[in-house]
Amino acid sequence: MRVILGVTGCIGAYKSAVILRLLQKEGFEVFPVMTRSAQQFITPLTLEKLSGHPVVTDLFDDQTAQIEHIDLARKSDLLLVAPATANILGKFAQGIADDFLSTLYLSTTTPVIMAPAMNVEMWHHQAVQDNVGILKERGVVLVEPGSGYLACGEVGEGRLAEPELVLEAVLNNFDRKKSLLGKKVLITAGPTVEDIDPVRFLSNRSSGKMGYAMAGEARLRGAHVVLVSGPTQLEAPGSVDRVSVRSAAEMAEAVFHHFEDSNIVVMAAAVSDFTPSVPASEKIKKEKMDPTIKLERATDILAILGERKTDQLLVGFAAETQEIRANARRKLNDKGLDLIVANDISRDDRGFASDFNEAIFLDPSGEEQALPNLPKSELARILWDRIESISHVKA
Ligand code: CTP
């Protein structure tokens, strides 16, 4: 799940760093956006380092910025503005788009949450309250400011709500009825790496993004998530038990260890089908290197799970470049799966390494569901809905 965190200029801006961290712990990927005045209170560098993403500060930062707001809005699942000044409340309410954040608001179709922070007189001013009324009517969720000492020295309402309350509003927005509560979900993600010698290896282009999106969504639904991950650049969603592995053999061992008491297994990893027969413990010198590397079949983890399964629900992936449906259906049957997610990896703008994926779900009854090209977080939500509908039938 991706959250855009808009930060506007008031003393509470420093708390945005805490809010960012809390969101990350819950498994959200956070994209910070700062207004010009926010940068007077906290530097973009702080939010950039914490989030791992460049902070967008201006509509005219570079030539691509004009469309960047549309791209960012399309990729995210929620716009959170914390703290939100009287100024940004007014701009959102009236549809004024004179900087990046206010322009982004007009291009977003996701839910919007705002946590206002300002002086008590400002908060109670009729103009501000009118704008708050307009925003609420439009469906924007307001995290009401708290009472206490304000930076201006006065005591009263206007303080940015505690970060925990802001987090709660975000979690409520994503509340998927905790439909996987009590379930243990085993997910694999990323590539595997098969060593030839201590320097060289065989691997593949999987980024792990789909498996991590599945893990984040399962956690939001209340599952106990074990994420067995090959080497990736991704940070694990919060409260997920990540087991880091390297080779197909290591992945097999971790998956088999967790399989028995799992309820649902999602094999999103791109597991190597072959591994060098005899990996060298010392670096092979080129003069002595045989230009042919002898390989042997790696364990087909999912096929073994298909044989061993009792009442676990098994979901596999099929990354194909041709005859997508036929190849996926063969894998579904051969490995005894309940569902397979097929995708065409021949295009650069979707599938491997991309944030988007265009998938077809196939099940043993012969039913097929073809989906459009979607952000992986959105695909994860639809896929979990589908898996849950099968598990209800099975239960
Ligand atoms: N898989 C696995 N263990 C392997 C290889 C793949 O568990 N050694 C899983 C993948 O995680 C995925 C599914 O099996 O869920 C993919 O099926 P597979 O037939 O192995 O796909 P490919 O490796 O792409 O097969 P092919 O090269 O024949 O297309």
Side-chain angles (χ1 to χ4, degrees):
M1 285 290 147
R2 294 156 165 245
V3 174
I4 298 175
L5 174 61
V7 182
T8 62
C10 68
I11 186 67
Y14 78 94
K15 287 194 193 166
S16 62
V18 180
I19 293 170
L20 191 157
R21 266 292 181 236
L22 289 177
L23 289 169
Q24 284 178 324
K25 274 201 195 129
E26 290 297 327
F28 295 103
E29 196 177 354
V30 184
F31 294 84
V33 171
M34 296 176 83
T35 61
R36 192 180 297 267
S37 52
Q39 296 165 58
Q40 302 292 322
F41 294 91
I42 174 172
T43 70
L45 191 64
T46 306
L47 299 187
E48 181 178 322
K49 289 294 165 210
L50 291 176
S51 68
H53 294 293
V55 178
V56 190
T57 51
D58 202 319
L59 193 55
F60 305 104
D61 263 355
D62 62 56
Q63 286 164 349
T64 57
Q66 293 272 16
I67 48 162
E68 214 176 329
H69 64 276
I70 296 173
D71 198 39
L72 192 59
R74 234 186 117 202
K75 279 201 303 203
S76 70
D77 303 286
L78 176 81
L79 171 60
L80 166 69
V81 184
T85 55
N87 186 40
I88 202 76
L89 291 172
K91 285 204 238 179
F92 279 19
Q94 306 304 327
I96 295 168
D98 65 350
D99 65 359
F100 190 88
L101 187 57
S102 50
T103 310
L104 181 83
Y105 169 68
L106 293 185
S107 29
T108 193
T109 52
T110 66
V112 177
I113 299 178
M114 300 180 89
M118 65 200 75
N119 158 278
V120 59
E121 310 299 349
M122 287 172 78
W123 174 243
H124 287 297
H125 195 284
Q126 198 55 50
V128 173
Q129 286 305 313
D130 285 351
N131 287 332
V132 166
I134 292 172
L135 290 167
K136 279 187 179 167
E137 212 157 278
R138 211 180 277 155
V140 172
V141 172
L142 269 287
V143 189
E144 301 285 330
S147 284
Y149 281 102
L150 301 172
C152 54
E154 290 181 55
V155 179
E157 247 180 308
R159 251 162 69 134
L160 175 65
E162 287 308 319
E164 288 73 17
L165 289 178
V166 177
L167 176 69
E168 199 179 298
V170 173
L171 291 175
N172 284 343
N173 172 76
F174 286 109
D175 193 351
R176 305 271 196 268
K177 296 198 296 297
K178 300 284 177 226
S179 46
L180 290 173
L181 204 64
K183 301 270 189 232
K184 178 174 172 183
V185 168
L186 176 58
I187 299 172
T188 64
T192 61
V193 174
E194 310 300 320
D195 289 321
I196 298 168
D197 69 14
V199 184
R200 306 170 179 100
F201 58 81
L202 295 174
S203 189
N204 59 66
R205 290 177 58 199
S206 169
S207 64
K209 287 177 182 170
M210 192 63 225
Y212 277 62
M214 286 300 284
E217 178 68 29
R219 213 214 57 75
L220 279 178
R221 295 177 185 219
H224 168 206
V225 181
V226 176
L227 175 64
V228 178
S229 173
T232 72
Q233 299 293 323
L234 307 172
E235 203 172 312
S239 330
V240 158
D241 289 339
R242 178 163 64 176
V243 184
S244 297
V245 298
R246 185 169 167 83
S247 63
E250 283 177 23
M251 183 169 279
E253 196 185 326
V255 168
F256 295 152
H257 178 75
H258 284 282
F259 180 59
E260 211 178 294
D261 63 345
S262 290
N263 302 99
I264 302 166
V265 181
V266 178
M267 282 289 302
V271 190
S272 178
D273 292 315
F274 294 95
T275 189
S277 306
V278 195
S281 54
E282 305 294 338
K283 184 183 172 194
I284 308 168
K285 301 309 284 177
K286 60 178 169 297
E287 297 79 29
K288 292 192 187 138
M289 192 164 186
D290 184 342
T292 315
I293 301 167
K294 199 165 171 343
L295 302 173
E296 61 186 45
R297 284 295 291 267
T299 310
D300 190 327
I301 305 170
L302 199 47
I304 293 177
L305 299 187
E307 286 162 16
R308 289 189 191 169
K309 74 173 177 182
T310 48
D311 52 4
Q312 293 90 343
L313 196 146
L314 293 187
V315 180
F317 278 71
E320 308 291 345
T321 53
Q322 54 185 344
E323 294 188 51
I324 296 160
R325 286 179 163 81
N327 280 328
R329 194 155 287 290
R330 185 177 45 75
K331 290 173 187 178
L332 176 83
N333 295 332
D334 289 354
K335 301 192 186 198
L337 309 181
D338 298 282
L339 188 70
I340 196 155
V341 181
N343 62 300
D344 182 351
I345 50 157
S346 59
R347 295 182 55 163
D348 274 351
D349 58 346
R350 55 201 70 174
F352 277 149
S354 159
D355 289 323
F356 286 79
N357 209 350
E358 186 173 322
I360 308 168
F361 300 163
L362 299 99
D363 73 14
S365 74
E367 208 181 298
E368 288 182 14
Q369 182 183 356
L371 294 155
N373 195 26
L374 295 169
K376 285 181 175 171
S377 56
E378 176 68 3
L379 181 59
R381 196 179 62 71
I382 297 172
L383 180 51
W384 272 118
D385 284 347
R386 179 66 190 266
I387 296 170
E388 284 189 31
S389 71
I390 305 172
S391 63
H392 289 140
V393 174
K394 283 187 99 182

